[in-house]
Amino acid sequence: MRKKRMVLAVLLFAMVFSCLSPAGQTRAAQKLDYGGFCITEGQSYSFKNAASGWYMNVKHAGKTNGTEINVWPLDMSEPVSERYVFTVVDAANYVVRISPEPTKSQYLDVRLRNGSFGEGKTMCLWAEDKTNNKNLRLYLQPDGSFYITFVEHPGYCIGAKSAEAAGTAQTALVVCKMNGAAEQRWILCDKDGNELSGRGKDLERVA
């Protein structure tokens, strides 16, 4: 009986340990300090376009691969389509992935139908796969806005084709060459669309 209890105790310890170890995929939420504000893994945020003041939106609150990412005014009647969470991939290099709040198994990605990565490609949702276009960085600017850049493709970011497009309902977001335009930049907001204040420190070294 004593031997059986010892075996059960060892098994119980192993189960608890596996839940706390990296292999068990459970860890404390990570934070990234951008100077002036932090992002916390798993917390909900929204993204306001610096040109139009409209928000990054999941078209029709879709939850399937290929669902388009577009712009839409702040909409509290269906807020989940405008709320996103971060997953920290590499804290040392500020690498993150971004998921819609209700579909955390899918990420912002580039639609690669009939071609490869490039300017003008449409942004969409896609589940985990072998591509690296889901790996992103926030590249802060002195005014507190930021580009959402692609780790594997320096010089490219997520934005609208023009300032006019950034304020046109359901205009798809696309891959853009960074050129300083406001329609390519975003303002970090809380889950209800309120701007988070603070100027960022120089993150050019990881852009």
Side-chain angles (χ1 to χ4, degrees), residues 34-119:
Y34 288 87
F37 66 84
C38 295
I39 61 169
T40 302
E41 192 174 43
Q43 185 170 315
S44 296
Y45 300 91
S46 56
F47 303 111
K48 181 190 287 189
N49 189 269
S52 66
W54 286 22
Y55 290 76
M56 184 182 294
N57 180 275
V58 179
K59 188 173 184 179
H60 303 314
K63 299 179 181 180
T64 58
N65 282 347
T67 297
E68 184 179 280
I69 306 299
N70 57 31
V71 290
W72 194 259
L74 183 63
D75 184 4
M76 287 294 101
S77 67
E78 195 173 29
V80 293
S81 65
E82 295 179 347
R83 290 177 178 170
Y84 300 84
V85 295
F86 290 94
T87 298
V88 177
V89 178
D90 179 355
N93 291 298
Y94 289 80
V95 180
V96 298
R97 290 186 174 192
I98 301 174
S99 306
E101 184 183 66
T103 53
K104 295 178 182 178
S105 61
Q106 292 178 309
Y107 305 92
L108 297 190
D109 201 352
V110 180
R111 187 188 292 275
L112 295 179
R113 183 183 297 168
N114 301 324
S116 57
F117 182 95
E119 188 175 15

Coordinates of all heavy atoms in Angstrom, one line a residue, residues 34-119:
Y34 N 7.9 49.3 -24.5 CA 8.2 50.2 -25.7 C 8.5 51.6 -25.2 O 8.7 52.5 -26.1 CB 7.0 50.2 -26.7 CG 6.8 48.9 -27.4 CD1 6.1 47.9 -26.9 CD2 7.4 48.7 -28.7 CE1 6.0 46.7 -27.6 CE2 7.3 47.5 -29.3 CZ 6.6 46.5 -28.8 OH 6.5 45.3 -29.5
G35 N 8.7 51.8 -24.0 CA 9.0 53.1 -23.5 C 7.8 54.0 -23.5 O 7.4 54.5 -24.6
G36 N 7.1 54.3 -22.4 CA 5.9 55.0 -22.4 C 4.7 54.1 -22.2 O 3.7 54.5 -21.6
F37 N 4.8 52.9 -22.8 CA 3.7 51.9 -22.5 C 4.3 50.5 -22.8 O 5.3 50.4 -23.4 CB 2.5 52.2 -23.4 CG 2.7 52.0 -24.9 CD1 2.6 50.7 -25.5 CD2 2.9 53.1 -25.7 CE1 2.8 50.6 -26.8 CE2 3.1 53.0 -27.1 CZ 3.0 51.7 -27.6
C38 N 3.6 49.5 -22.3 CA 4.0 48.1 -22.5 C 2.8 47.4 -23.2 O 1.7 47.9 -23.1 CB 4.2 47.4 -21.2 SG 5.7 48.0 -20.2
I39 N 3.1 46.4 -23.9 CA 2.1 45.5 -24.3 C 2.2 44.2 -23.5 O 3.3 43.8 -23.2 CB 2.1 45.1 -25.8 CG1 3.4 44.5 -26.2 CG2 1.9 46.4 -26.6 CD1 3.4 43.9 -27.6
T40 N 1.1 43.7 -23.1 CA 1.0 42.5 -22.3 C 0.4 41.3 -23.1 O -0.7 41.5 -23.6 CB 0.2 42.7 -21.0 OG1 0.8 43.8 -20.3 CG2 0.2 41.5 -20.1
E41 N 1.1 40.3 -23.1 CA 0.6 39.1 -23.9 C -0.7 38.6 -23.3 O -0.9 38.5 -22.1 CB 1.7 38.0 -23.7 CG 1.5 36.8 -24.6 CD 2.7 35.8 -24.5 OE1 3.0 35.5 -23.3 OE2 3.2 35.3 -25.5
G42 N -1.7 38.4 -24.3 CA -3.0 37.9 -23.9 C -4.0 39.0 -23.6 O -5.2 38.8 -23.5
Q43 N -3.5 40.3 -23.4 CA -4.4 41.4 -23.1 C -5.0 41.9 -24.4 O -4.3 41.9 -25.4 CB -3.7 42.5 -22.4 CG -4.6 43.6 -21.9 CD -3.8 44.6 -21.0 OE1 -3.1 44.2 -20.1 NE2 -3.9 45.9 -21.3
S44 N -6.2 42.4 -24.4 CA -6.9 42.8 -25.6 C -6.6 44.3 -25.9 O -6.6 45.2 -25.0 CB -8.4 42.7 -25.5 OG -8.8 41.3 -25.4
Y45 N -6.3 44.6 -27.2 CA -6.0 45.9 -27.7 C -6.8 46.1 -29.0 O -7.3 45.2 -29.6 CB -4.5 46.1 -28.0 CG -3.6 45.9 -26.8 CD1 -3.1 44.6 -26.5 CD2 -3.3 46.9 -26.0 CE1 -2.3 44.4 -25.4 CE2 -2.5 46.8 -24.9 CZ -2.0 45.5 -24.6 OH -1.1 45.3 -23.5
S46 N -6.8 47.4 -29.4 CA -7.3 47.7 -30.8 C -6.3 48.6 -31.5 O -5.4 49.2 -30.8 CB -8.7 48.4 -30.7 OG -8.6 49.5 -29.9
F47 N -6.4 48.7 -32.8 CA -5.4 49.5 -33.6 C -6.1 50.5 -34.4 O -7.0 50.2 -35.3 CB -4.6 48.6 -34.5 CG -3.9 47.5 -33.9 CD1 -4.3 46.1 -34.0 CD2 -2.8 47.7 -33.1 CE1 -3.6 45.1 -33.4 CE2 -2.1 46.7 -32.4 CZ -2.5 45.4 -32.6
K48 N -5.8 51.8 -34.1 CA -6.4 52.9 -34.9 C -5.5 53.4 -36.0 O -4.3 53.7 -35.7 CB -6.7 54.1 -33.9 CG -7.4 55.3 -34.6 CD -7.4 56.5 -33.6 CE -8.5 56.3 -32.5 NZ -8.6 57.6 -31.8
N49 N -6.0 53.5 -37.2 CA -5.2 54.0 -38.3 C -4.9 55.5 -38.1 O -5.7 56.3 -37.8 CB -5.9 53.8 -39.6 CG -5.0 54.1 -40.8 OD1 -4.9 55.2 -41.3 ND2 -4.3 53.1 -41.2
A50 N -3.6 55.8 -38.2 CA -3.1 57.2 -38.0 C -3.6 58.2 -39.0 O -3.7 59.4 -38.7 CB -1.6 57.2 -37.9
A51 N -4.0 57.8 -40.2 CA -4.5 58.7 -41.2 C -6.0 58.9 -41.0 O -6.5 60.1 -41.1 CB -4.3 58.1 -42.6
S52 N -6.8 57.9 -40.8 CA -8.3 58.0 -40.9 C -9.0 58.0 -39.5 O -10.1 58.5 -39.3 CB -8.9 56.9 -41.7 OG -8.7 55.6 -41.1
G53 N -8.3 57.4 -38.5 CA -8.9 57.2 -37.2 C -9.8 56.1 -37.2 O -10.5 55.8 -36.2
W54 N -9.9 55.3 -38.3 CA -10.7 54.1 -38.3 C -9.8 52.9 -37.8 O -8.6 53.0 -37.7 CB -11.2 53.8 -39.7 CG -12.3 54.7 -40.1 CD1 -12.6 55.9 -39.6 CD2 -13.2 54.4 -41.1 NE1 -13.7 56.5 -40.2 CE2 -14.1 55.6 -41.2 CE3 -13.5 53.4 -42.0 CZ2 -15.2 55.7 -42.1 CZ3 -14.5 53.5 -42.9 CH2 -15.4 54.6 -43.0
Y55 N -10.5 51.8 -37.5 CA -9.8 50.7 -36.8 C -9.6 49.5 -37.6 O -10.4 49.2 -38.5 CB -10.7 50.3 -35.5 CG -10.6 51.4 -34.5 CD1 -11.4 52.6 -34.6 CD2 -9.8 51.3 -33.3 CE1 -11.4 53.6 -33.7 CE2 -9.8 52.3 -32.4 CZ -10.5 53.4 -32.6 OH -10.5 54.4 -31.6
M56 N -8.5 48.8 -37.3 CA -8.3 47.5 -37.9 C -9.4 46.5 -37.5 O -9.8 46.4 -36.4 CB -6.9 46.9 -37.5 CG -6.5 45.6 -38.2 SD -5.0 44.9 -37.6 CE -3.8 46.1 -38.1
N57 N -10.0 45.9 -38.6 CA -11.2 45.1 -38.4 C -11.1 43.7 -39.1 O -10.6 43.6 -40.1 CB -12.4 45.9 -38.9 CG -13.7 45.3 -38.8 OD1 -14.1 44.5 -39.6 ND2 -14.4 45.6 -37.8
V58 N -11.7 42.7 -38.4 CA -11.8 41.4 -39.1 C -13.2 41.4 -39.8 O -14.2 41.6 -39.2 CB -11.8 40.3 -38.1 CG1 -12.0 38.9 -38.8 CG2 -10.5 40.3 -37.3
K59 N -13.2 41.3 -41.1 CA -14.4 41.4 -41.9 C -15.5 40.5 -41.4 O -15.3 39.3 -41.3 CB -14.1 41.1 -43.4 CG -15.2 41.4 -44.3 CD -14.8 41.3 -45.8 CE -15.9 41.6 -46.7 NZ -15.5 41.5 -48.1
H60 N -16.6 41.0 -41.1 CA -17.8 40.3 -40.6 C -17.5 39.4 -39.4 O -18.1 38.4 -39.2 CB -18.4 39.4 -41.7 CG -18.8 40.2 -43.0 ND1 -19.5 41.4 -42.9 CD2 -18.5 40.0 -44.3 CE1 -19.7 41.9 -44.1 NE2 -19.1 41.1 -45.0
A61 N -16.5 39.8 -38.6 CA -16.1 39.0 -37.5 C -15.8 37.5 -37.8 O -16.0 36.6 -37.0 CB -17.1 39.1 -36.4
G62 N -15.2 37.3 -39.0 CA -14.9 36.0 -39.5 C -13.9 35.2 -38.7 O -13.1 35.8 -38.0
K63 N -14.0 33.9 -38.7 CA -13.1 33.1 -37.9 C -12.5 32.0 -38.7 O -12.0 31.0 -38.2 CB -13.9 32.4 -36.8 CG -14.5 33.5 -35.8 CD -15.3 32.8 -34.7 CE -15.9 33.8 -33.8 NZ -16.7 33.2 -32.7
T64 N -12.5 32.1 -40.1 CA -11.9 31.0 -40.9 C -10.7 31.5 -41.6 O -10.5 32.7 -41.8 CB -13.0 30.6 -41.9 OG1 -13.4 31.7 -42.7 CG2 -14.2 30.0 -41.3
N65 N -9.8 30.6 -42.1 CA -8.7 30.9 -42.9 C -9.1 31.8 -44.1 O -10.0 31.4 -44.8 CB -8.0 29.7 -43.3 CG -7.1 29.0 -42.3 OD1 -6.9 29.6 -41.2 ND2 -6.7 27.8 -42.5
G66 N -8.3 32.8 -44.3 CA -8.6 33.7 -45.5 C -9.5 34.8 -45.2 O -9.7 35.7 -46.1
T67 N -10.1 34.9 -44.0 CA -10.9 36.1 -43.7 C -10.1 37.4 -43.8 O -9.0 37.5 -43.3 CB -11.5 36.0 -42.2 OG1 -12.3 34.8 -42.1 CG2 -12.3 37.2 -41.9
E68 N -10.7 38.3 -44.5 CA -10.0 39.6 -44.8 C -9.9 40.5 -43.6 O -10.8 40.5 -42.8 CB -10.8 40.3 -46.0 CG -10.1 41.5 -46.5 CD -10.9 42.1 -47.6 OE1 -10.8 41.6 -48.7 OE2 -11.7 43.1 -47.3
I69 N -8.8 41.2 -43.6 CA -8.6 42.3 -42.6 C -8.8 43.6 -43.2 O -8.1 43.9 -44.3 CB -7.2 42.2 -41.9 CG1 -6.9 40.8 -41.4 CG2 -7.0 43.2 -40.8 CD1 -7.8 40.3 -40.3
N70 N -9.6 44.4 -42.7 CA -9.9 45.7 -43.3 C -10.0 46.8 -42.3 O -9.5 46.7 -41.2 CB -11.2 45.6 -44.2 CG -12.4 45.2 -43.3 OD1 -12.5 45.5 -42.1 ND2 -13.3 44.5 -44.0
V71 N -10.6 48.0 -42.7 CA -10.7 49.1 -41.8 C -12.2 49.4 -41.6 O -13.0 49.2 -42.5 CB -10.0 50.4 -42.2 CG1 -8.5 50.2 -42.1 CG2 -10.4 50.8 -43.7
W72 N -12.6 49.9 -40.4 CA -14.0 50.1 -40.1 C -14.0 51.1 -38.9 O -13.1 51.1 -38.1 CB -14.7 48.8 -39.7 CG -16.2 48.9 -39.6 CD1 -17.0 49.0 -38.5 CD2 -17.1 48.8 -40.7 NE1 -18.3 49.1 -38.8 CE2 -18.4 48.9 -40.2 CE3 -16.9 48.7 -42.1 CZ2 -19.5 48.9 -41.0 CZ3 -18.0 48.7 -42.9 CH2 -19.3 48.8 -42.4
P73 N -15.0 52.0 -38.8 CA -15.1 52.9 -37.7 C -15.2 52.1 -36.4 O -15.6 50.9 -36.4 CB -16.4 53.7 -37.9 CG -16.7 53.5 -39.4 CD -16.1 52.2 -39.8
L74 N -14.9 52.7 -35.3 CA -15.1 52.1 -34.0 C -16.5 51.6 -33.8 O -17.5 52.3 -34.0 CB -14.7 53.1 -32.9 CG -14.8 52.5 -31.4 CD1 -13.7 51.4 -31.3 CD2 -14.6 53.6 -30.4
D75 N -16.7 50.3 -33.5 CA -18.0 49.7 -33.5 C -18.1 48.8 -32.2 O -17.7 47.7 -32.2 CB -18.2 48.8 -34.7 CG -19.5 48.2 -34.8 OD1 -20.4 48.5 -34.0 OD2 -19.8 47.4 -35.7
M76 N -18.7 49.4 -31.2 CA -18.9 48.7 -30.0 C -20.1 47.8 -30.0 O -20.4 47.1 -29.0 CB -19.1 49.7 -28.8 CG -17.8 50.4 -28.4 SD -16.6 49.3 -27.7 CE -15.5 49.0 -29.1
S77 N -20.9 47.8 -31.1 CA -22.0 46.8 -31.2 C -21.4 45.4 -31.5 O -22.0 44.4 -31.3 CB -23.0 47.2 -32.3 OG -22.3 47.1 -33.6
E78 N -20.2 45.4 -32.1 CA -19.6 44.1 -32.4 C -18.1 44.3 -32.2 O -17.2 44.2 -33.1 CB -19.8 43.7 -33.9 CG -19.5 42.2 -34.2 CD -19.9 41.8 -35.6 OE1 -19.9 42.7 -36.5 OE2 -20.2 40.6 -35.7
P79 N -17.7 44.5 -30.9 CA -16.3 44.9 -30.6 C -15.3 43.8 -30.9 O -14.1 44.1 -31.1 CB -16.4 45.2 -29.1 CG -17.5 44.5 -28.6 CD -18.5 44.4 -29.7
V80 N -15.7 42.5 -30.8 CA -14.7 41.5 -31.0 C -14.0 41.5 -32.3 O -12.9 41.0 -32.5 CB -15.3 40.1 -30.8 CG1 -15.8 39.9 -29.3 CG2 -16.5 39.8 -31.7
S81 N -14.6 42.1 -33.3 CA -14.0 42.2 -34.6 C -12.9 43.2 -34.7 O -12.1 43.3 -35.7 CB -15.0 42.5 -35.7 OG -15.6 43.8 -35.5
E82 N -12.8 44.0 -33.6 CA -11.7 45.1 -33.6 C -10.8 44.9 -32.4 O -10.0 45.8 -32.1 CB -12.4 46.5 -33.6 CG -13.2 46.7 -34.9 CD -13.9 48.1 -34.9 OE1 -14.0 48.7 -33.8 OE2 -14.3 48.5 -35.9
R83 N -10.8 43.8 -31.7 CA -10.0 43.6 -30.6 C -9.0 42.5 -30.9 O -9.3 41.4 -31.5 CB -10.8 43.1 -29.4 CG -11.6 44.3 -28.8 CD -12.5 43.8 -27.7 NE -13.2 44.9 -27.1 CZ -14.2 44.8 -26.2 NH1 -14.5 43.6 -25.7 NH2 -14.9 45.9 -25.8
Y84 N -7.7 42.7 -30.5 CA -6.6 41.8 -30.8 C -5.8 41.5 -29.6 O -5.7 42.3 -28.7 CB -5.7 42.4 -31.9 CG -6.5 42.7 -33.2 CD1 -7.2 43.8 -33.4 CD2 -6.5 41.7 -34.3 CE1 -7.9 44.1 -34.5 CE2 -7.2 42.0 -35.4 CZ -7.9 43.2 -35.5 OH -8.6 43.4 -36.7
V85 N -5.1 40.4 -29.6 CA -4.2 40.0 -28.6 C -2.8 39.7 -29.2 O -2.7 39.3 -30.3 CB -4.7 38.8 -27.8 CG1 -5.9 39.1 -27.0 CG2 -4.9 37.6 -28.7
F86 N -1.8 39.9 -28.4 CA -0.4 39.6 -28.8 C 0.1 38.3 -28.3 O -0.2 37.9 -27.1 CB 0.6 40.7 -28.3 CG 0.4 42.0 -29.0 CD1 -0.4 43.0 -28.4 CD2 1.1 42.3 -30.2 CE1 -0.5 44.3 -29.0 CE2 0.9 43.6 -30.8 CZ 0.1 44.5 -30.1
T87 N 0.8 37.6 -29.1 CA 1.6 36.4 -28.6 C 3.1 36.8 -28.8 O 3.5 37.1 -29.9 CB 1.3 35.1 -29.4 OG1 -0.1 34.8 -29.2 CG2 2.2 34.0 -28.9
V88 N 3.9 36.7 -27.7 CA 5.3 37.1 -27.9 C 6.1 35.8 -28.3 O 6.0 34.8 -27.7 CB 5.9 37.5 -26.5 CG1 7.4 37.8 -26.6 CG2 5.1 38.8 -26.0
V89 N 6.7 36.0 -29.5 CA 7.5 34.9 -30.1 C 8.9 35.0 -29.6 O 9.6 33.9 -29.3 CB 7.4 35.0 -31.6 CG1 8.3 33.9 -32.3 CG2 6.0 34.8 -32.1
D90 N 9.5 36.2 -29.6 CA 10.9 36.4 -29.2 C 11.0 37.7 -28.5 O 11.1 38.8 -29.2 CB 11.8 36.3 -30.5 CG 13.3 36.6 -30.2 OD1 13.6 36.8 -29.0 OD2 14.1 36.5 -31.2
A91 N 11.0 37.7 -27.2 CA 10.9 38.9 -26.4 C 12.2 39.8 -26.6 O 12.1 41.0 -26.7 CB 10.8 38.6 -24.9
A92 N 13.3 39.1 -26.8 CA 14.6 39.9 -26.9 C 14.6 40.7 -28.2 O 15.2 41.8 -28.2 CB 15.8 38.9 -26.9
N93 N 14.0 40.2 -29.2 CA 13.9 41.0 -30.5 C 12.6 41.5 -30.8 O 12.3 41.9 -32.0 CB 14.4 40.0 -31.6 CG 15.9 39.7 -31.5 OD1 16.7 40.6 -31.5 ND2 16.2 38.4 -31.3
Y94 N 11.7 41.6 -29.8 CA 10.4 42.2 -30.0 C 9.5 41.6 -31.1 O 8.8 42.3 -31.8 CB 10.5 43.7 -30.2 CG 11.0 44.5 -29.0 CD1 12.3 44.5 -28.6 CD2 10.1 45.2 -28.2 CE1 12.7 45.2 -27.5 CE2 10.5 45.9 -27.1 CZ 11.8 45.9 -26.7 OH 12.2 46.6 -25.6
V95 N 9.7 40.3 -31.3 CA 8.9 39.6 -32.3 C 7.6 39.1 -31.7 O 7.6 38.5 -30.7 CB 9.7 38.4 -32.9 CG1 8.8 37.7 -34.0 CG2 11.0 38.9 -33.5
V96 N 6.5 39.5 -32.4 CA 5.1 39.1 -31.9 C 4.3 38.5 -33.0 O 4.6 38.6 -34.2 CB 4.4 40.3 -31.3 CG1 5.1 40.9 -30.1 CG2 4.2 41.4 -32.3
R97 N 3.2 37.9 -32.6 CA 2.1 37.5 -33.5 C 0.9 38.2 -33.0 O 0.7 38.4 -31.8 CB 2.0 36.0 -33.7 CG 3.1 35.4 -34.4 CD 2.9 33.9 -34.7 NE 4.0 33.4 -35.5 CZ 3.9 32.2 -36.1 NH1 2.9 31.4 -35.9 NH2 4.9 31.8 -36.9
I98 N -0.1 38.5 -33.9 CA -1.3 39.2 -33.5 C -2.5 38.4 -33.9 O -2.6 38.0 -35.1 CB -1.3 40.6 -34.1 CG1 -0.1 41.4 -33.7 CG2 -2.6 41.3 -33.8 CD1 0.0 42.8 -34.4
S99 N -3.4 38.1 -33.0 CA -4.6 37.3 -33.2 C -5.8 38.1 -32.9 O -5.8 38.9 -31.9 CB -4.6 36.1 -32.4 OG -3.4 35.3 -32.5
P100 N -7.0 37.9 -33.6 CA -8.2 38.5 -33.1 C -8.6 37.9 -31.8 O -8.3 36.7 -31.5 CB -9.2 38.1 -34.2 CG -8.4 37.8 -35.4 CD -7.1 37.2 -34.9
E101 N -9.2 38.7 -30.9 CA -9.5 38.2 -29.6 C -10.3 36.9 -29.5 O -9.9 36.0 -28.8 CB -10.3 39.3 -28.9 CG -10.6 39.0 -27.4 CD -11.5 40.1 -26.8 OE1 -12.7 40.2 -27.2 OE2 -11.0 40.8 -25.9
P102 N -11.3 36.7 -30.4 CA -12.1 35.4 -30.2 C -11.5 34.2 -31.0 O -11.9 33.1 -30.8 CB -13.4 35.8 -30.8 CG -13.1 36.8 -31.8 CD -12.0 37.6 -31.3
T103 N -10.4 34.5 -31.8 CA -9.8 33.4 -32.6 C -8.3 33.3 -32.4 O -7.6 33.6 -33.3 CB -10.2 33.5 -34.1 OG1 -9.8 34.8 -34.5 CG2 -11.6 33.4 -34.4
K104 N -7.9 33.0 -31.2 CA -6.5 33.1 -30.8 C -5.6 32.0 -31.5 O -4.4 32.1 -31.4 CB -6.4 33.0 -29.3 CG -7.0 34.2 -28.6 CD -6.9 34.1 -27.1 CE -7.6 35.2 -26.4 NZ -7.5 35.1 -24.9
S105 N -6.3 31.1 -32.2 CA -5.5 30.1 -32.9 C -5.2 30.6 -34.4 O -4.5 29.8 -35.1 CB -6.2 28.8 -33.0 OG -7.5 28.9 -33.7
Q106 N -5.6 31.7 -34.7 CA -5.4 32.3 -36.0 C -4.6 33.7 -35.9 O -4.8 34.3 -34.9 CB -6.6 32.5 -36.8 CG -7.3 31.2 -37.3 CD -8.6 31.4 -38.0 OE1 -9.4 32.1 -37.5 NE2 -8.7 30.8 -39.1
Y107 N -3.9 34.0 -36.9 CA -3.0 35.2 -36.8 C -3.2 36.1 -38.0 O -3.6 35.6 -39.1 CB -1.6 34.8 -36.7 CG -1.3 33.8 -35.6 CD1 -1.3 32.4 -35.8 CD2 -1.0 34.3 -34.3 CE1 -1.1 31.5 -34.7 CE2 -0.8 33.4 -33.2 CZ -0.8 32.0 -33.5 OH -0.6 31.1 -32.4
L108 N -2.8 37.4 -37.9 CA -2.6 38.2 -39.1 C -1.6 37.6 -40.0 O -0.5 37.2 -39.5 CB -2.2 39.6 -38.7 CG -3.1 40.4 -37.8 CD1 -2.6 41.9 -37.7 CD2 -4.6 40.4 -38.3
D109 N -1.9 37.5 -41.2 CA -1.0 36.9 -42.2 C -1.3 37.5 -43.6 O -2.2 38.3 -43.8 CB -1.4 35.3 -42.2 CG -0.2 34.5 -42.8 OD1 0.8 35.1 -43.3 OD2 -0.3 33.3 -42.7
V110 N -0.4 37.1 -44.5 CA -0.5 37.6 -45.9 C -1.1 36.6 -46.8 O -0.7 35.4 -46.8 CB 0.9 38.0 -46.4 CG1 0.8 38.5 -47.8 CG2 1.6 39.0 -45.5
R111 N -2.1 37.0 -47.6 CA -2.7 36.0 -48.5 C -1.7 35.8 -49.7 O -1.4 36.7 -50.4 CB -4.0 36.6 -49.0 CG -4.8 35.6 -49.9 CD -6.0 36.2 -50.6 NE -7.0 36.6 -49.6 CZ -8.0 35.8 -49.2 NH1 -8.0 34.5 -49.6 NH2 -8.9 36.2 -48.3
L112 N -1.3 34.6 -49.8 CA -0.3 34.3 -50.8 C -0.8 33.5 -52.0 O -0.1 32.8 -52.7 CB 0.9 33.5 -50.2 CG 1.7 34.2 -49.1 CD1 2.8 33.3 -48.6 CD2 2.3 35.5 -49.7
R113 N -2.1 33.7 -52.3 CA -2.7 33.0 -53.4 C -2.1 33.4 -54.7 O -1.9 34.6 -55.0 CB -4.2 33.3 -53.4 CG -5.0 32.6 -54.5 CD -6.5 33.1 -54.5 NE -7.1 32.7 -53.2 CZ -8.3 33.2 -52.9 NH1 -8.9 34.1 -53.6 NH2 -8.8 32.9 -51.7
N114 N -1.7 32.4 -55.5 CA -1.1 32.6 -56.8 C 0.1 33.6 -56.8 O 0.2 34.5 -57.6 CB -2.1 33.2 -57.8 CG -3.3 32.2 -58.0 OD1 -3.1 31.0 -58.0 ND2 -4.5 32.8 -58.1
G115 N 1.0 33.4 -55.9 CA 2.2 34.2 -55.9 C 2.9 34.2 -54.6 O 2.6 33.5 -53.6
S116 N 3.9 35.1 -54.5 CA 4.8 35.1 -53.3 C 4.5 36.5 -52.6 O 3.8 37.3 -53.1 CB 6.2 35.0 -53.6 OG 6.6 36.0 -54.6
F117 N 5.2 36.7 -51.5 CA 5.1 37.9 -50.7 C 5.4 39.1 -51.6 O 6.4 39.1 -52.3 CB 6.0 37.9 -49.5 CG 6.0 39.1 -48.6 CD1 5.1 39.1 -47.5 CD2 6.7 40.2 -48.9 CE1 5.1 40.2 -46.7 CE2 6.7 41.3 -48.1 CZ 5.8 41.3 -46.9
G118 N 4.7 40.2 -51.4 CA 5.0 41.4 -52.1 C 4.1 42.5 -51.9 O 3.0 42.4 -51.2
E119 N 4.4 43.7 -52.3 CA 3.6 44.9 -52.1 C 2.2 44.7 -52.7 O 2.0 44.2 -53.8 CB 4.2 46.1 -52.8 CG 3.6 47.4 -52.5 CD 4.3 48.6 -53.0 OE1 5.2 48.4 -53.9 OE2 4.0 49.8 -52.6

